[in-house]
Amino acid sequence: MVERWRKETHCFNFREGECTITLKDIAILTDLPVDGDVVCVDSTPPPKVVANMSGWQHFIWTVTGLCPPEKGDHDADGHPPLSKGQVSITWLTAEIRRKHNPEFGGIPLTEESSERDKEIYARIYILGMIGGVFFPKKSNNLISNSWLKIILGSWDDMGNLSWASACLAQLYRSLCNASARAVKEIDGAMFIVQFWAWEHLQWIAPKVDPDKDWGPDHPLRHEAYGCR
């Protein structure tokens, strides 16, 4: 699919003609919202407000309740928890599990947990979805700290953003970058390319049981179409 991508037209070039992934495809496959404000990421480092923390360390602590060390430690994938304006998703998830796992002396997250703990867990989960699913980098582990400024916003502000258009724009950019001859890796939400190809290119689509019942009682009936 990448080899058939033409960055001049943002289309896949087949013998039968050209076609491309549209905003409607993103909305149907992922159920991400189309309407809303533009997703705009601010990469300006936050000012230093605490003597023993850098600006990003304090900002990450405000969002997640965790303070990543800038030197010394490395996560399970060999990356430092905080480096060059990026935070390790592996480190974040490991720390939050340790915090709430009784085996490590943590307190399990329950309905009786504080609103602060629930909010931190939810924001880290959303951060993981952004950095690991919809806007992954080539490392598939590091996420830009700039996303934290959006995650720290109100739930209504996050819900009122056009995430589908942002995901499509990033996908186009990733395909354009990867179409260069010397490039051997790709980032972005490649699962969307796979789902889209399965849906539109019958010769590579997986076999589907024609008797499959997607009735109202099926657990995936009301999920995004890509979940099927």
Side-chain angles (χ1 to χ4, degrees):
M1 295 298 294
V2 174
E3 291 174 351
R4 293 181 178 273
W5 181 259
R6 296 295 177 266
K7 60 182 179 181
E8 297 82 8
T9 58
H10 287 172
C11 291
F12 296 107
N13 194 334
F14 299 103
R15 281 187 294 177
E16 296 80 3
E18 293 183 335
C19 56
T20 191
I21 303 172
T22 66
L23 188 59
K24 183 178 180 180
D25 292 319
I26 300 290
I28 293 175
L29 290 172
T30 67
D31 206 23
L32 289 174
V34 173
D35 299 326
D37 297 328
V38 175
V39 178
C40 186
V41 179
D42 179 12
S43 60
T44 306
K48 185 172 183 176
V49 293
V50 181
N52 60 344
M53 290 186 187
S54 67
W56 278 126
Q57 280 181 308
H58 183 263
F59 200 84
I60 294 171
W61 177 81
T62 302
V63 177
T64 67
L66 303 170
C67 181
E70 291 188 306
K71 298 179 180 179
D73 295 340
H74 287 74
D75 63 22
D77 296 321
H79 297 100
L82 182 62
S83 175
K84 298 179 180 179
Q86 302 177 110
V87 64
S88 165
I89 300 176
T90 303
W91 179 84
L92 278 175
T93 53
E95 289 298 311
I96 201 69
R97 285 171 181 167
R98 187 177 294 111
K99 182 178 180 180
H100 295 292
N101 192 331
E103 294 182 4
F104 295 96
I107 302 175
L109 194 69
T110 65
E111 293 183 1
E112 287 72 32
S113 299
S114 68
E115 291 300 317
R116 169 67 174 166
D117 284 342
K118 294 178 183 177
E119 185 174 304
I120 287 175
Y121 198 91
R123 292 188 190 277
I124 292 179
Y125 181 84
I126 294 173
L127 191 64
M129 290 292 291
I130 290 175
V133 180
F134 294 110
F135 305 95
K137 295 193 172 186
K138 293 178 182 178
S139 68
N140 205 33
N141 177 54
L142 301 175
I143 181 172
S144 172
N145 293 338
S146 304
W147 288 110
L148 293 166
K149 296 184 178 181
I150 294 180
I151 299 300
L152 187 58
S154 69
W155 300 111
D156 289 337
D157 289 343
M158 281 192 285
N160 291 330
L161 295 175
S162 178
W163 289 103
S165 60
C167 186
L168 181 62
Q170 175 68 19
L171 188 61
Y172 278 7
R173 178 183 294 179
S174 298
L175 288 168
C176 288
N177 291 339
S179 64
R181 181 172 298 180
V183 177
K184 298 182 180 180
E185 295 180 325
I186 189 171
D187 58 7
M190 288 299 106
F191 76 95
I192 294 177
V193 179
Q194 185 177 22
F195 289 173
W196 180 89
W198 283 353
E199 186 66 20
H200 291 80
L201 309 178
Q202 297 301 316
W203 62 89
I204 65 171
K207 294 182 180 180
V208 179
D209 184 359
D211 299 325
K212 187 78 171 180
D213 181 16
W214 293 104
D217 296 331
H218 194 279
L220 295 180
R221 179 65 177 83
H222 302 289
E223 299 293 335
Y225 189 72
C227 292
R228 304 186 191 182

